[in-house]
Amino acid sequence: MNSEHTLLSIIAQDPEWTRKHASQLSPVLFATESNRYIFEAVTECGNEWDMTSITNALRRRGKLDDVGGPSGVSALFDDFPVMSMAAHHLATVRDATTLRRALQCHQAASERLNLALTVGTNDAAALLAEIREELDSAGKLPGKRLDRLSSAQAMEMALDTIEARAARPGEIPGLTTGFALLDSFTYGLQAGHLWVIAGGPSDGKSTVMQNILEGAVNTGAKCAVYQLEMPIEEQALRFLSSDSGVNSGSLLTGTMTHEEQQALAASFKRLQKLGMDYVNVDGANADDILADIEQGDYLVVMVDYLQLLDVTTAKGESREQAVSNVARKLKNLAKRKAVTILTGSQLNDDGQLRESRAIGQHADKVLYVSKVEANGEADETRRSLDIKKNRGGPRGKRIQLRFAGASYRFREMDDDNHTEPDWIETMPTRRKR
């Protein structure tokens, strides 16, 4: 006797068990049409049923002959299933259904792709997005039992965290951002968090992300850059310029002084030893980048930036919805992989996150970087960093930054507008994960 037939016998004979597991039961679980008809008849009977009520329900539906008549129903009551194995049979049938649905979806996808190759398609990317979504949903059955911890286990986990932090008083729980004041407000780059650095054109959001990433990689953390705005070589030059303090113009024109050459050589040797990957994203879309992060072992990654991602929109989906979905996937990925993800977002003319305010809803931290006006004009050497969202910490805080644009370096300013010493020399307690 197979698991599908045994499961149906349990359903027919034990209404209480069936009601308890109703969320995990569905007609789609039954591959055999006659079994599916019997299950649907059971659900029509209400809270209680027996052989007679099931038979009558099938007769009303005109399906009694399709299940083998009254004898087909009585056969379910002739068996004596072991109730301790009920959960096993349910899991077996659900697994078989998942595999069957996946196979059907793959076969249908193959037929659609062959048809597209034969007669052509107006939008290959949209077709692939639809097929990918259908394949993803194939394995999703209603009522899947989720993993859980008991209250005792959850409290033990929380206590372990408290004890670990108490053993290192004053140390931030996450990796340092390289900015002491920002660390004090956000508690550093914590595992599973999505940071969105937003700003207008030329406000410096890419440089802020770069500087934060530098803070993390200098602790020994393995990091990665997914740079969509510039070639890898240009990003590497920016890191060299920032780390060495050498004017980027001198690097590009080859007009460095002897002191600058020495500083550059020292930075070159140091940066070579750090755990930083520069990922080539040419031709990659958003799903490719997400999959690459999934397969990596990074603690912090930088994706610069959201609006530059090649986002495939499904049929009937707007660009705004697609960008929001990418932000949601980035957050879920950060949580699942225990990685911190830094990404940038443009602001629209109203000072809101461009294309989708849902970007901010998915993020754990949202920071706005903007130019500071002095005497009615923008001061290119200063920026304000406003903490708009700060899960687990204070929001509404503003940090004043001094911007050395020629070397791609921001530094925090004190209350008297004096620039703090270089963060490399004054880095706060470094937290390693």
Side-chain angles (χ1 to χ4, degrees):
M1 183 166 48
N2 63 39
S3 287
E4 185 174 313
H5 181 83
T6 303
L7 178 62
L8 195 59
S9 292
I10 292 170
I11 291 170
Q13 296 182 42
D14 197 328
E16 184 179 351
W17 183 92
T18 303
R19 287 194 297 272
K20 182 178 179 181
H21 296 84
S23 63
Q24 300 179 64
L25 297 170
S26 169
V28 300
L29 297 181
F30 301 97
T32 305
E33 191 175 60
S34 59
N35 288 345
R36 191 159 56 250
Y37 289 154
I38 292 174
F39 176 79
E40 291 170 343
V42 168
T43 60
E44 185 181 301
C45 292
N47 291 328
E48 297 291 338
W49 54 85
D50 55 19
M51 186 189 311
T52 301
S53 59
I54 295 173
T55 302
N56 290 336
L58 284 164
R59 185 178 287 112
R60 286 194 301 271
R61 298 167 66 91
K63 301 296 184 183
L64 185 58
D65 290 340
D66 294 327
V67 304
S71 61
V73 179
S74 64
L76 296 173
F77 291 83
D78 293 337
D79 300 325
F80 298 96
V82 180
M83 290 306 298
S84 61
M85 294 293 292
H88 165 75
H89 291 301
L90 176 57
T92 300
V93 171
R94 287 178 64 86
D95 287 345
T97 303
T98 298
L99 295 174
R100 185 171 64 250
R101 283 161 59 98
L103 178 61
Q104 291 169 348
C105 274
H106 277 85
Q107 290 172 338
S110 178
E111 292 175 2
R112 293 179 67 185
L113 290 172
N114 281 324
L115 180 63
L117 286 171
T118 303
V119 302
T121 178
N122 294 329
D123 193 341
L127 174 62
L128 290 173
E130 290 177 20
I131 290 175
R132 190 181 298 111
E133 184 174 343
E134 290 170 4
L135 293 175
D136 287 342
S137 64
K140 296 178 181 178
L141 292 177
K144 179 182 177 181
R145 188 71 172 172
L146 302 178
D147 293 335
R148 68 205 66 238
L149 294 176
S150 68
S151 179
Q153 291 171 319
M155 291 303 103
E156 284 287 343
M157 182 183 294
L159 184 59
D160 288 343
T161 300
I162 292 170
E163 290 177 344
R165 292 179 181 175
R168 299 185 298 270
E171 183 176 304
I172 57 174
L175 294 167
T176 180
T177 64
F179 297 98
L181 193 54
L182 184 60
D183 280 345
S184 71
F185 293 145
T186 63
Y187 312 119
L189 302 170
Q190 299 178 64
H193 279 198
L194 172 64
W195 288 53
V196 174
I197 314 298
S202 303
D203 277 347
K205 55 186 177 293
S206 294
T207 303
V208 170
M209 280 192 289
Q210 173 188 314
N211 291 169
I212 291 174
L213 192 68
E214 288 173 296
V217 77
N218 276 291
T219 67
K222 188 171 183 181
C223 303
V225 178
Y226 295 81
Q227 180 55 260
L228 295 102
E229 194 174 23
M230 65 191 76
I232 288 177
E233 178 187 5
E234 185 176 345
Q235 180 66 81
L237 284 170
R238 289 189 174 207
F239 275 110
L240 272 171
S241 178
S242 173
D243 188 80
S244 64
V246 176
N247 187 302
S248 59
S250 299
L251 290 179
L252 293 172
T253 59
T255 56
M256 291 178 289
T257 64
H258 178 68
E259 290 76 13
E260 288 177 328
Q261 291 177 3
Q262 288 182 318
L264 182 66
S267 287
F268 178 80
K269 290 180 181 179
R270 200 177 71 81
L271 293 179
Q272 274 191 316
K273 299 175 183 178
L274 297 180
M276 176 81 80
D277 285 349
Y278 299 77
V279 184
N280 184 354
V281 294
D282 292 345
N285 60 26
D287 288 333
D288 295 330
I289 292 173
L290 288 165
D292 193 77
I293 298 172
E294 180 87 55
Q295 297 172 62
D297 56 351
Y298 305 113
L299 292 183
V300 185
V301 300
M302 167 180 154
V303 181
D304 188 18
Y305 53 88
L306 271 174
Q307 281 79 17
L308 288 179
L309 285 168
D310 181 4
V311 179
T312 302
T313 56
K315 188 175 181 180
E317 184 181 45
S318 67
R319 166 78 182 179
E320 178 179 340
Q321 291 171 318
V323 172
S324 174
N325 285 336
V326 171
R328 175 178 52 81
K329 289 178 180 179
L330 283 171
K331 170 55 189 173
N332 290 340
L333 176 58
K335 181 180 176 183
R336 186 170 60 251
K337 288 286 290 181
V339 59
T340 305
I341 297 179
L342 306 170
T343 190
S345 176
Q346 292 179 339
L347 295 177
N348 60 25
D349 292 339
D350 296 323
Q352 302 295 327
L353 292 168
R354 181 177 164 186
E355 290 186 314
S356 178
R357 295 183 66 180
I359 294 170
Q361 295 170 3
H362 297 308
D364 298 280
K365 317 285 184 185
V366 178
L367 279 59
Y368 281 18
V369 57
S370 58
K371 296 184 179 72
V372 175
E373 288 195 0
N375 300 320
E377 296 183 358
D379 184 349
E380 294 295 338
T381 67
R382 291 180 59 189
R383 298 290 189 275
S384 286
L385 190 64
D386 292 286
I387 301 176
K388 296 292 187 178
K389 182 177 181 181
N390 187 19
R391 182 167 288 135
R395 63 176 180 171
K397 299 293 186 179
R398 172 171 290 181
I399 300 173
Q400 295 296 330
L401 301 175
R402 180 70 68 186
F403 183 39
S407 56
Y408 306 103
R409 164 58 55 197
F410 280 107
R411 292 184 176 87
E412 291 177 340
M413 300 170 64
D414 62 20
D415 293 337
D416 296 322
N417 288 337
H418 295 141
T419 304
E420 295 292 341
D422 197 311
W423 65 273
I424 295 176
E425 300 172 1
T426 63
M427 187 175 294
T429 304
R430 296 173 179 175
R431 174 78 172 99
K432 294 186 179 182
R433 295 207 293 268

